[in-house]
Amino acid sequence: MERCHGHSPTQEYPHPFVHEVKVTTAQKIRGIILGSVLFPVRVTLATLFFLIMWPIARLRLAGLSEEERAKPVEGWRHWLFHHVILFLSRAVFFSVGFLWIKVKGRRAGLTEAPVLAVAPHSGFLDMLVLCPAGLATVVSRSENTKLPVIGALLEFNQSVLVNRKDPESRKKCVAQIKERLTSEGYWPQMLMFPEGTTTNGRALIKFKPGAFLAGVPVQPVLLHYPNKLDTVRWTWKGTTWVQSLWHTTSQFYTNVTVEFLPVYTPSEEEKENPELYADNVQKLMAKALGVPATDYVMEGRYPVNKLGGLSLPLESPARETLKKLNNNGLSTAQVETVINSMIDSCQSSQGTMVTADHLTTLLGLSNRETAKEISALYSKDDKVDLRQICLSVSAVSGLRSLESLLHTAFTLYDSDSDGVLSAEDLSDLMGALIGVPQYNTAEMYAELTTRGQPSEAALKELLTTHPTYSRVISEYLQSEEEGLKTETLSTANGKTQNRTEHGISNGTSNGKPNGSANGIFNGRSIGESNGIFNGRSIGESNGISNGVSKMAD
């Protein structure tokens, strides 16, 4: 099997977490006319089929002991209920407009490929892939078992369940997946979406290693939606799930193609390294789709690009904060005054955690809603850490020099006031500078300690000289004004070269793509956030046919 190589360092990658259904006036009028008739009819039919499935799905394991439920269903319980649920699942998708499902290639048998890796993951309607996949077993959040219908279908499917907030549950999930995938045909085939969240399909994001942990062959499966209107995608920002369902059901029909690629058999090196295995399958599938394979991931609530263990947000909370402050009439001088006052507050005994009401006063805003919106950029709770706002805004606004910024950050996060950083201090400090939590700074801390004690001077040296971490400054920790100073100079032979104020290369490190090549850190906010559906983040496919949600790695 061919091992694919990365894309050119100069490749510009599209933002994969934003999607808007773009319709002309004529299409909008047509959609309203058809939708007013088709939407209620199709949703009613799909709901009816779901309600029929509910008790039938429960019957499959009815009367079995816990020990028997821990084994794959066999005999009459398998062939009778399996075919009934498969038929009803297909009826659900037929009802919402998928009148046919085109299949390319051959689905591999269980012994050939114990796991199917499906991409790109576009939205909850992707669950239709389970029909040509024969209702393969899936991985889901344990919380989904409490949902009406969905819980019954997960029980029917004998899904692997995981509570992502519980480390023990995650370990148990990994062990259970390995056990099933190496059972040599005892357990049914598994189906996973290795991206772990939904995207707009214009790039493949970094695959999570869950489908590749067991080191067994996988069959890559591609999902294509070749329609004039791209209606099925439901991402971090943009079209909501309701709009997606409306647009999809308002069409006479929606085309979909499920393409089964040849089975990918891992090398010995890939068996030992699931991350490498996942990366190579990602590149293979990206090449087949004609899109770039990127290092973008959804980490918590933020879409980020990975850089040496650090997570750089595709849309900077600090730049969005600046935009909101400017829209509320605060000039650059006023922002500087406010930030300096907040830093003084952090350095005093007043504490760093504040509510939206307190933040409204500190920022000198006329309305509380703006403060709430700013707070929500940094925290899920009703309180936000002032240090994150102060340092991240200072980092991208040019209010302080790099030396002054690092000194302030070091002072605020040197928890023992002993002039050196602990590993936790560094994680918190980098999270505040970048504006999003940093969970994997062990590599950076190890590099910092090789330079002696992790002091302020050592941190500055690391961020200005290290080939990887210097990119944090050149590509992220610079102001809008400094960004404009990054010129593209025409040369005599017609080629271009990039120059930054810091004189640091914007190339790649260790073959990783330049995550900001397309200017995604330009402070513009694309689309409106629609990230909640029943309290769940966008990209967690609760699934029309099985309630799959993304698996944590």
Side-chain angles (χ1 to χ4, degrees):
M1 177 66 70
E2 177 186 4
R3 300 303 189 254
C4 301
H5 300 288
H7 293 266
S8 165
T10 59
Q11 172 72 51
E12 292 188 355
Y13 301 109
H15 192 319
F17 299 103
V18 174
H19 176 69
E20 293 278 0
V21 177
K22 298 178 180 179
V23 294
T24 63
T25 302
Q27 289 171 328
K28 186 178 295 185
I29 294 172
R30 176 177 176 270
I32 292 173
I33 295 172
L34 291 178
S36 61
V37 176
L38 294 177
F39 180 81
V41 171
R42 284 177 163 171
V43 170
T44 299
L45 283 174
T47 302
L48 177 62
F49 286 122
F50 264 134
L51 293 176
I52 295 173
M53 278 195 283
W54 194 350
I56 296 175
R58 291 294 189 193
L59 285 174
R60 191 185 198 196
L61 299 183
L64 296 182
S65 64
E66 287 299 320
E67 183 179 354
E68 291 172 319
R69 286 169 177 253
K71 300 176 182 178
V73 172
E74 297 177 337
W76 67 271
R77 289 178 181 268
H78 173 74
W79 63 260
L80 174 61
F81 293 112
H82 184 88
H83 288 91
V84 172
I85 294 296
L86 180 59
F87 172 80
L88 291 172
S89 297
R90 183 65 188 92
V92 167
F93 291 104
F94 185 90
S95 299
V96 296
F98 294 93
L99 305 185
W100 51 83
I101 298 176
K102 183 178 179 181
V103 177
K104 292 178 64 176
R106 180 187 68 86
R107 175 191 165 200
L110 173 60
T111 55
E112 295 176 86
V115 61
L116 305 174
V118 184
H121 192 9
S122 303
F124 56 92
L125 293 174
D126 286 348
M127 294 305 106
L128 59 80
V129 73
L130 283 165
C131 296
L135 299 184
T137 304
V138 299
V139 178
S140 178
R141 300 193 326 163
S142 56
E143 296 92 329
N144 289 338
T145 58
K146 299 176 182 178
L147 298 175
V149 185
I150 299 301
L153 291 173
L154 290 174
E155 179 184 288
F156 167 89
N157 187 258
Q158 292 188 289
S159 305
V160 176
L161 302 176
V162 57
N163 182 341
R164 295 197 305 273
K165 297 179 181 179
D166 181 0
E168 290 303 316
S169 176
R170 291 165 64 112
K171 290 179 183 179
K172 183 179 178 181
C173 176
V174 169
Q176 198 171 0
I177 289 172
K178 287 183 178 179
E179 177 188 352
R180 292 194 180 191
L181 294 183
T182 56
S183 65
E184 298 183 351
Y186 180 67
W187 279 98
Q189 212 166 32
M190 294 193 73
L191 182 147
M192 298 187 194
F193 292 93
E195 289 179 290
T197 190
T198 57
T199 71
N200 57 26
R202 295 200 294 270
L204 285 188
I205 64 175
K206 188 173 180 64
F207 281 6
K208 294 180 181 294
F212 312 95
L213 290 172
V216 298
V218 305
Q219 182 170 33
V221 183
L222 306 179
L223 280 181
H224 306 273
Y225 295 98
N227 301 286
K228 289 183 179 179
L229 278 181
D230 192 356
T231 64
V232 301
R233 304 190 193 280
W234 174 38
T235 56
W236 178 66
K237 283 188 178 180
T239 302
T240 67
W241 72 272
V242 175
Q243 291 171 328
S244 174
L245 187 59
W246 167 270
H247 287 303
T248 301
T249 56
S250 297
Q251 310 303 310
F252 282 118
Y253 58 85
T254 301
N255 293 310
V256 61
T257 300
V258 179
E259 182 178 2
F260 292 96
L261 297 181
V263 173
Y264 188 106
T265 302
S267 65
E268 289 302 318
E269 185 181 7
E270 289 170 325
K271 290 179 182 179
E272 295 297 323
N273 187 345
E275 293 277 357
L276 174 66
Y277 189 3
D279 287 346
N280 284 336
V281 174
Q282 179 212 27
K283 292 170 185 175
L284 173 74
M285 296 177 74
K287 183 178 180 180
L289 289 164
V291 301
T294 72
D295 282 341
Y296 300 152
V297 297
M298 182 65 78
E299 192 169 82
R301 300 181 300 130
Y302 306 98
V304 302
N305 184 43
K306 304 299 289 186
L307 177 66
L310 296 178
S311 303
L312 303 183
L314 272 64
E315 294 187 15
S316 164
R319 296 200 191 280
E320 185 63 19
T321 297
L322 273 177
K323 180 180 177 181
K324 291 182 182 297
L325 293 177
N326 291 333
N327 288 342
N328 275 265
L330 271 70
S331 65
T332 301
Q334 289 174 316
V335 171
E336 182 174 11
T337 300
V338 165
I339 293 299
N340 288 337
S341 175
M342 290 167 63
I343 289 175
D344 290 340
S345 176
C346 292
Q347 292 174 330
S348 70
S349 59
Q350 299 177 34
T352 63
M353 302 302 295
V354 297
T355 63
D357 289 325
H358 192 185
L359 187 62
T360 304
T361 304
L362 289 171
L363 293 174
L365 298 173
S366 57
N367 66 83
R368 183 175 180 272
E369 284 306 309
T370 301
K372 286 179 62 178
E373 292 170 2
I374 292 174
S375 180
L377 292 171
Y378 296 89
S379 173
K380 292 187 296 184
D381 304 322
D382 58 352
K383 288 188 175 183
V384 64
D385 192 331
L386 278 184
R387 294 175 297 179
Q388 290 183 307
I389 298 177
C390 296
L391 293 176
S392 62
V393 170
S394 295
V396 302
S397 64
L399 297 177
R400 291 176 177 239
S401 66
L402 176 63
E403 184 173 346
S404 174
L405 177 67
L406 290 181
H407 177 71
T408 301
F410 199 94
T411 302
L412 292 176
Y413 282 97
D414 179 9
S415 57
D416 296 331
S417 300
D418 57 358
V420 297
L421 295 176
S422 66
E424 185 178 355
D425 291 338
L426 178 66
S427 177
D428 293 340
L429 184 152
M430 293 306 300
L433 284 177
I434 294 172
V436 299
Q438 300 297 314
Y439 302 106
N440 302 296
T441 54
E443 178 184 330
M444 184 179 184
Y445 190 73
E447 182 63 35
L448 181 62
T449 55
T450 63
R451 300 164 184 254
Q453 284 196 325
S455 63
E456 180 180 335
L459 178 61
K460 180 183 176 182
E461 181 189 7
L462 179 70
L463 289 175
T464 53
T465 63
H466 192 276
T468 296
Y469 301 114
S470 62
R471 290 174 56 197
V472 178
I473 294 176
S474 64
E475 297 174 10
Y476 190 79
L477 300 183
Q478 61 175 350
S479 69
E480 297 283 355
E481 183 180 350
E482 286 174 322
L484 292 175
K485 293 178 184 177
T486 302
E487 305 172 52
T488 303
L489 302 175
S490 298
T491 60
N493 61 4
K495 295 181 181 180
T496 62
Q497 62 183 15
N498 288 335
R499 183 183 73 193
T500 71
E501 179 179 346
H502 300 287
I504 299 171
S505 170
N506 282 325
T508 59
S509 172
N510 301 325
K512 298 293 184 182
N514 183 337
S516 62
N518 62 346
I520 50 180
F521 299 134
N522 62 2
R524 296 178 183 174
S525 177
I526 306 172
E528 298 297 327
S529 176
N530 296 296
I532 301 295
F533 168 43
N534 291 337
R536 293 168 183 78
S537 298
I538 288 293
E540 295 179 4
S541 300
N542 296 319
I544 286 183
S545 64
N546 74 335
V548 172
S549 68
K550 65 181 180 180
M551 191 194 83
D553 59 354

